[in-house]
Amino acid sequence: MTSKSKSIAAKVCLLAACILLFSCNHKRERAIVPGIYYWKTYFRLTDFEKNRLDSLQVEVLYVKFFDVVWEEHIGRVSPVAKLMVKDSVYLRSKKIIPTVFITNEVFYHLDSAAVKTLAANTASLLKKYTALYGLKNIEEVQMDCDWTVTTRDKYFYFLSHIKSLQLAPVLSATIRLHQVKYTNSSGVPPTNKGLLMCYNMGSLQKPDAHNSIIDAQEFKGYSRYIQSYSLPLDIGLPLFDWYVLFRNNKYAGIFLSIPRTLISRFKNIGNNRYEVMQDTILGDRMLKTGDILRYENSDYESVKSLLADVNRKLTASSPRLVLYHCDSVILSKYSLHELESLYSGLRRY
């Protein structure tokens, strides 16, 4: 081979290496749509909340309009916790996704005719509230229910009727992690899209659990099923904390918040656990001597690590990334930079 040929060959090899290196490092951009849940009965944001959402360029609010529950004492389904808007001007300034939370128990008590009636009543109430608060051009409605194998068919029948009533161009449903993993038993809801709730993945009721809200290692057992799920998926991330109560080593409920002054009176026994040293009244509930409280939260590093795993599995090119949920106390626990980095965590893949 002549020196000229060797020079050309070397240049070709160098060019090929550059192309290979570029192709390995080059990442595509997703058109992420930032969103957040508003899960309170009264819609009235504080100035802090508004400033945070504006700084984060959040334009989409998933607002819970009401819950649908089974009321045992009267033997019927009822809508409760209906939304009361105290700031309709701000509500109308955002893109609103009306959301309805339905307890799984509802579908245990209804036959197919009653399910169809429930769909009609749910649609009617949603129309009433969107008209009452002057909401126009609703693009999406979301149903939130942790259905089971037993209730799956009835819930899907409900969704089919909701979809046929054409409340909005898009009907979405929340999807739990186990429903993505076990599609053979859980099925796939008859909706246009799903929102994958990337939290509440651990064993809440087990005394020896570490953090049932978020566990990046536990999540890896579910994340590989994301890319094969047959519905387009938006992503929901946690920003909340709570205290899980155990009495006599058995699960006894949840406290969404406990004052620091009160926690300081309990004995810190390690691993984010506190022992109640004397009977204490908290709100309308009693904490008894010997009760154990396990503190669980959504710390930034855990959420960020989980998001990196999602980024490797998600196939959607323009998903919504929705944080749960909009609250001054919760949002103040994260810096603006941390929240921005979560929203940008799916942009490059």
Side-chain angles (χ1 to χ4, degrees), residues 168-198:
V170 174
L171 174 65
S172 65
T174 54
I175 312 292
R176 273 67 177 177
L177 290 167
H178 66 90
Q179 292 159 351
V180 164
K181 183 174 181 178
Y182 302 107
T183 52
N184 286 340
S185 56
S186 294
V188 177
T191 57
N192 301 101
K193 63 193 302 190
L195 187 142
L196 181 62
M197 299 167 62
C198 298

Side-chain angles (χ1 to χ4, degrees), residues 17-176:
C18 290
I19 292 173
L20 179 62
L21 181 63
F22 177 78
S23 63
C24 291
N25 291 322
H26 178 64
K27 289 182 179 291
R28 292 174 290 174
E29 293 282 338
R30 286 195 182 98
I32 296 298
V33 180
I36 197 165
Y37 276 104
Y38 191 91
W39 215 248
K40 303 174 187 177
T41 303
Y42 294 88
F43 186 89
R44 180 172 52 200
L45 276 69
T46 65
D47 289 340
F48 174 80
E49 290 165 351
K50 291 179 181 178
N51 288 336
R52 269 295 160 94
L53 298 194
D54 290 343
S55 297
L56 295 167
Q57 298 182 323
V58 173
E59 295 297 326
V60 180
L61 300 184
Y62 287 73
V63 179
K64 182 171 72 71
F65 275 46
F66 52 89
D67 299 341
V68 177
V69 303
W70 175 260
E71 296 193 281
E72 189 65 42
H73 64 288
I74 58 176
R76 72 181 185 195
V77 174
S78 298
V80 298
K82 300 173 186 176
L83 182 69
M84 297 182 67
V85 176
K86 302 297 183 179
D87 188 350
S88 58
V89 173
Y90 190 80
L91 182 73
R92 290 193 293 269
S93 73
K94 300 295 183 181
K95 180 181 292 186
I96 302 301
I97 312 298
T99 303
V100 178
F101 173 73
I102 310 172
T103 64
N104 187 47
E105 184 186 11
V106 164
F107 295 101
Y108 282 110
H109 297 278
L110 304 182
D111 59 21
S112 58
V115 169
K116 189 173 181 179
T117 299
L118 175 62
N121 291 341
T122 300
S124 178
L125 194 54
L126 280 172
K127 288 179 181 178
K128 174 184 175 180
Y129 281 115
T130 54
L132 178 64
Y133 299 127
L135 300 176
K136 300 178 180 179
N137 301 319
I138 297 296
E139 298 180 6
E140 179 182 340
V141 168
Q142 184 173 96
M143 298 294 147
D144 178 21
C145 178
D146 187 7
W147 78 89
T148 60
V149 175
T150 307
T151 60
R152 181 190 68 185
D153 291 344
K154 290 180 182 179
Y155 178 52
F156 288 6
Y157 186 61
F158 167 83
L159 290 174
S160 294
H161 280 285
I162 285 287
K163 190 175 182 180
S164 70
L165 294 172
Q166 299 180 332
L167 292 170
V170 174
L171 174 65
S172 65
T174 54
I175 312 292
R176 273 67 177 177

Side-chain angles (χ1 to χ4, degrees), residues 184-306:
N184 286 340
S185 56
S186 294
V188 177
T191 57
N192 301 101
K193 63 193 302 190
L195 187 142
L196 181 62
M197 299 167 62
C198 298
Y199 44 93
N200 295 352
M201 62 192 69
S203 302
L204 172 71
Q205 300 188 20
K206 288 187 177 180
D208 59 350
H210 172 62
N211 187 342
S212 67
I213 295 176
I214 185 169
D215 185 325
Q217 286 303 118
E218 179 79 13
F219 182 72
K220 292 182 184 300
Y222 297 97
S223 63
R224 64 190 181 96
Y225 297 93
I226 293 175
Q227 55 195 356
S228 61
Y229 198 66
S230 59
L231 278 181
L233 290 174
D234 293 324
I235 298 298
L237 294 179
L239 291 184
F240 61 93
D241 57 1
W242 58 31
Y243 290 86
V244 187
L245 174 65
F246 292 91
R247 180 168 295 157
N248 299 322
N249 212 37
K250 294 183 179 179
Y251 171 78
I254 289 176
F255 288 90
L256 296 181
S257 64
I258 297 179
R260 290 178 179 269
T261 53
L262 185 57
I263 284 294
S264 65
R265 290 161 48 187
F266 302 151
K267 182 179 179 180
N268 187 335
I269 58 175
N271 295 321
N272 292 324
R273 287 163 168 79
Y274 302 86
E275 182 178 354
V276 179
M277 304 308 294
Q278 63 180 29
D279 290 357
T280 304
I281 296 176
L282 180 57
D284 58 353
R285 298 167 67 181
M286 171 69 78
L287 292 172
K288 295 185 177 181
T289 303
D291 284 354
I292 302 297
L293 290 162
R294 182 179 72 219
Y295 177 65
E296 300 184 344
N297 70 347
S298 313
D299 66 281
Y300 170 69
E301 291 300 330
S302 294
V303 179
K304 183 180 177 181
S305 176
L306 181 150

